[in-house]
Amino acid sequence: MSEKNIPLRFLLIVLILILTYGCGSSKKEAPAEAETGINYIGFTECYNCHADAKNPASFPPVFGDSDENKNKEIGWLWGPHGNNESYDPTTHQTYDAYPNNTGFPYYAFFSDSTCAGCHDPLGDGKRIGEFFSKTGINKLGTVDRPVVACESCHGPGGNHYGLGPIPYAKPDFNRCGICHNDSFPNGHLTYHPEGDRIVEDYKVSPHAKSINEHTYVSGSTTDVRPRCSRCHTDEGAKTYIQIVNGLGVYNDFKLLDSYPIITNASNVQCRTCHDGHNPLRLLGDKAGDYPAALPSSWSSEFKTCTSCHQLLKADGTLNDNGYHTPYDKSGSPVNPYGNIEEIIADTHFDDPTTPQCSGGDCTNYDFVAGTGGIEGYIINPQGSHSGLPGDQNQGICRDCHNPHNADLTINRQWARSGHGGFILKKKENATNAYTAAVEDADAPAWIHYNWKRAGRGACQRCHTSTGFRNMANDPTNYNPANNTFVATQGQSELLYCWACHTSNTGNLRNPGVFVLPSTTAYLFPSGRSFPTDPSQNSYISGSIICINCHSGRQTGEYIKTKTFPYTGHFGSFNSHYLAAGGILFRTIGYEYSGRNYANPSYFRHDQIGTALQPGTGSNGPCVSCHMRGEANHLFMPVEHDANGQIISIPANEKVCSKCHTGSYALTPEELNEEEEEYEAAVDALQAALQLQGIYWCSSYPYFFSDQNCTTQYTNWPNADTLGAAFNLNLLKHEPGAFAHNRYYTKRLIYDSIDFIYNSTLDNDVAAAINDLADNGYPYFDSSKAALALDYLNGGTRP
């Protein structure tokens, strides 16, 4: 085995048995043939007939012992079941010492005898050394090592010997499930995070139900039409892939009807995608399965998945004429029985010819209105999104999909969320799903600027998947100059699954620390800061992922370092958007001297999801509140109706109700009322600033000298005035502040109005708000004033 392929053995875990700690907890189901009375003969007997050089012409390479197959790593010997490698316990790396490989885990590594139940179920490993000592043939190796050999999958060969039956000539998913089941030891998940529940997941997956009433030959319940069999059956997928591969078009599949029907067809299963003798080799690895025009750089995983889930043509352009395609990109009909929900070409391809820039050079552009958008997810068919060392992402498709359960629930939620740019909503509401695109108005966080250009290096860690992944992998050494983006030229990245997750089973990256957006300008209020070392941050666990981007880029404290009067525009003091973490942990607002901003003694929101608040979760406050309920990857802590009113609180039962009980119980009605009051109080602060000739506008740099937003405001007389503006802009861009830390939010608004109204902190907020309601501001009238006063404790500082 060549060293360059060693990492692949650790990354492709789908059927891997090279397991580590915790062997003692592994269970193995009893083979069905254990009571049949058929004798096991040992795999070295199998070798006498099935060595590569002795194979009948109709047999595939079985052992991989020929020099040709050794070089290609084809056959049982080079797969995880053959376990033909050695392991360095000091470096934790595998290496090739063939033919003296000891395998891993090696016998001495077994924690107890139960490990052998899956790692060497029939004791075949001992026969390797015996075979060598008797024959001098070292093709299988020269030393004992644990192996899963022929009869472990095919059943006992006592009646076979090349002539008689063998119990499982073509082992199905049930045979794989003997070991690859829900008893996968937890200790193994560190190294193989996607190795759990493989057979259980498969049994409930669409793959296990791939044959249906639409695929059968008319009148049959066992035989499948050739064109359907190509992707809906195990036999057809392998038989007809050379005739119609994943690049084929609709008419190519129809031509299959001139080929034989697949009789007694079976569903797509393990053996469909995995080579039975070396499960690390996929369907897309096999020579001759694909046209010569297909780029050899495309990963076998990409080729395997898209052999049915059609996506690209050989030149890398969109295949918009696949079999289930109802219409192509031009809108012309393709398959009258097709359905846009049955294809991936509409969502998994971002057209590089419609970049978000003008002209031919998109290197240094910023967004140009009307020049395009994001039509789909950007996928690199050459491999995974693995990033820096320590990453565990497995492959280009498996970075976001679990192929064993093939469940799209979370994927679809993400695609309807802000992290996904609401792209699926655009597709579902479009006349032509191919051309429907996410534009700047839909998701400015991903498309408003060219985040990839060098001038926006500071933005990349939150506005691109590549940047966030690299920062979260290694925050100490993170350097945006090293970001190599999946997106090219004028394309933009959404926040893909692999940005936050290291596997499709939910494993999170762990930056361990809160990484300051700016080392010179991001200052915390005196005596307070986010924890800055892993031991302090461990208590918020998975929420550290969220906080690293949702805490703003600037704090009000920074204002106090400036000299006044200040004649620059507001841009240098922009708190940025959705700074929930800064509000929750009280690190971001402009705080007026002499005023108390400490949390009330009963405040617990910053302890949700920690050991300090048992029963509320284990991943910190962000995850515990925003990822409750069945639609957790919408990241919404509440559900709204069509009018924007809150109708349910998914986190209420398991989180909120732990503290909010009795008369303090949370209800949707209460939250709607508080949100309305909060927004009115923010409007009151906006009116107070406008009374001083400082106009807030939604466009950068946010504060202007006129209501038409044409002249930037640059006449800041003192820090407290600029601080009031800072607090308004902060809260305008953090709509959930009233829920994250209500007292901190109320005090920021109260003190800002109190000062800006008459340049004095004299607690005249009630008078100020009533006065402001009489000034004719279209967004702030007497009804708003009443709501604002309700929010601000009737004018008494909260």
Side-chain angles (χ1 to χ4, degrees), residues 693-750:
I694 305 172
Y695 294 80
W696 183 86
C697 297
S698 59
S699 57
Y700 182 87
Y702 307 113
F703 289 99
F704 295 80
S705 298
D706 62 294
Q707 61 184 357
N708 295 321
C709 306
T710 57
T711 306
Q712 298 172 3
Y713 188 87
T714 58
N715 185 28
W716 305 100
N718 50 61
D720 287 348
T721 298
L722 182 54
F726 181 92
N727 287 339
L728 173 63
N729 191 59
L730 164 67
L731 298 174
K732 280 285 191 179
H733 293 122
E734 180 22 31
F738 72 95
H740 290 126
N741 192 330
R742 65 173 65 181
Y743 276 94
Y744 186 60
T745 299
K746 289 180 179 182
R747 288 166 178 171
L748 292 179
I749 297 173
Y750 185 96

Side-chain angles (χ1 to χ4, degrees), residues 632-675:
N632 57 8
H633 274 74
L634 291 175
F635 311 104
M636 294 297 293
V638 296
E639 295 179 353
H640 297 88
D641 63 16
N643 298 317
Q645 291 291 294
I646 298 170
I647 56 175
S648 71
I649 310 169
N652 204 353
E653 179 180 353
K654 294 184 178 180
V655 180
C656 310
S657 62
K658 300 295 181 181
C659 293
H660 294 273
T661 60
S663 61
Y664 297 100
L666 281 184
T667 65
E669 293 75 20
E670 180 184 354
L671 282 184
N672 282 321
E673 181 180 347
E674 185 165 0
E675 182 176 22

Side-chain angles (χ1 to χ4, degrees), residues 350-351 354-358 362 365-369 371-375 438-440 446-450 452 489-493:
D350 182 52
D351 190 344
T354 59
Q356 295 87 56
C357 59
S358 60
C362 297
Y365 82 97
D366 273 340
F367 178 78
V368 178
T371 52
I374 301 174
E375 292 91 359
V438 174
E439 299 177 359
D440 184 43
W446 317 119
I447 200 174
H448 187 65
Y449 296 114
N450 175 16
K452 306 189 305 296
Q489 286 294 300
Q491 293 178 303
S492 299
E493 297 177 0

Side-chain angles (χ1 to χ4, degrees), residues 191-213:
Y191 299 92
H192 309 296
E194 299 169 17
D196 194 16
R197 290 190 54 81
I198 289 179
V199 72
E200 289 86 358
D201 281 348
Y202 166 74
K203 287 179 179 179
V204 298
S205 75
H207 291 153
K209 307 175 186 67
S210 56
I211 300 174
N212 55 59
E213 61 182 1

Side-chain angles (χ1 to χ4, degrees), residues 189-190 193-194 392 497 500-509:
L189 293 173
T190 300
E194 299 169 17
Q392 293 185 18
C497 310
C500 298
H501 292 283
T502 61
S503 75
N504 58 45
T505 56
N507 298 77
L508 282 169
R509 304 192 189 283

